[in-house]
Amino acid sequence: MLSVVVASWAGEAEPVFARNPDVLHDAASTMKVAVLAALWRGGVNLDAEVPVVNHFRSAVGGEFGNNADYDSDSLPWELLGSHVPLSLLAERMITHSSNLATNLCLARTTPQSVAEVWRRAGATRSSTPRGIEDHAARAAGVNNLVSARDLVRLLRSLAGEPELLALLEDNDFRVDLAAGLPPNTRIAFKNGWIPGARHCVGLVHPQDCPPYLLAVCYTGPLASGADRSDPAARLLARISSAVWARRHGIGTSP
């Protein structure tokens, strides 16, 4: 299943292109944008030093932990047992898509705060009710889900928070939407990947026309789950390149 939404950055205009925009996909790591916004808006002291642990409360009771072999970022694992600024964990959650850092950040906010981020964005179908690798919750049917339309709404909701968009520009995994753009093109984006799914949402800043939003969600056998060599990443790159070629028709300046 392939979902694509292309929209102007300006205002609340309807997408200029939509394919399966409201189909739900496993959120993978795209949900980390909602966690980041919940931390930022919740008044949490990001300079506070927090313990780096690997045990978290499951959404269905009990505890769970992350598996280092499934994490794309080794740094938080090297910090286990120490205390680090929450801001460092928030950064690694976005720039290196750390699963351990994500659950540590989730522990400093609430499910209600994350749900409020989606509500404020105008999302109608997406939700983030559990942490990464909460297998008991998944088995009970508690899943993190997104649609391409809601991912575009989520990114647009950050318009008044340039600090968060700047952090998204530092994403290190530039193999899908970013790979389909000319070198040095600005893009604030977050991707997510698991075996069977690859997604990405981005705010692209061309130099010759207004910025635009693009979300692509793919669920299918092409997605290997590899962070940088996923064949599905190349599919997303081709879509990004095709949208770039038509960028002048997407929208007008605010």
Side-chain angles (χ1 to χ4, degrees), residues 23-39:
V23 169
L24 287 174
H25 301 258
D26 187 304
S29 291
T30 59
M31 50 78 75
K32 295 171 182 176
V33 179
V35 177
L36 177 68
L39 276 179

Side-chain angles (χ1 to χ4, degrees), residues 116-185:
E116 174 61 16
V117 168
W118 286 112
R119 189 204 65 78
R120 177 173 163 180
T124 58
R125 308 207 67 198
S126 301
S127 61
T128 309
R130 64 167 175 83
I132 304 288
E133 295 179 64
D134 185 349
H135 298 305
R138 176 187 283 273
V142 179
N143 292 308
N144 297 328
L145 299 170
V146 294
S147 71
R149 191 194 302 273
D150 284 347
L151 284 175
V152 161
R153 288 166 169 162
L154 177 61
L155 217 58
R156 181 179 276 136
S157 74
L158 305 183
E161 295 158 314
E163 301 90 344
L164 303 191
L165 291 171
L167 184 56
L168 290 166
E169 289 190 30
D170 290 335
N171 187 343
D172 193 57
F173 295 94
R174 310 183 74 84
V175 296
D176 39 53
L177 293 192
L181 303 173
N184 301 317
T185 300

Side-chain angles (χ1 to χ4, degrees), residues 96-120:
H96 289 72
S97 208
S98 167
N99 292 336
L100 181 59
T102 299
N103 284 337
L104 289 164
C105 288
L106 268 172
R108 298 289 159 171
T109 183
T110 66
Q112 294 80 9
S113 296
V114 180
E116 174 61 16
V117 168
W118 286 112
R119 189 204 65 78
R120 177 173 163 180

Side-chain angles (χ1 to χ4, degrees), residues 34-78:
V35 177
L36 177 68
L39 276 179
W40 186 265
R41 296 170 186 170
V44 178
N45 181 6
L46 293 174
D47 294 325
E49 299 229 336
V50 300
V52 181
V53 298
N54 187 27
H55 50 84
F56 310 100
R57 182 166 297 280
S58 170
V60 294
E63 290 192 342
F64 72 99
N66 289 118
N67 186 333
D69 292 337
Y70 296 148
D71 207 327
S72 57
D73 186 14
S74 62
L75 179 62
W77 293 93
E78 296 167 4

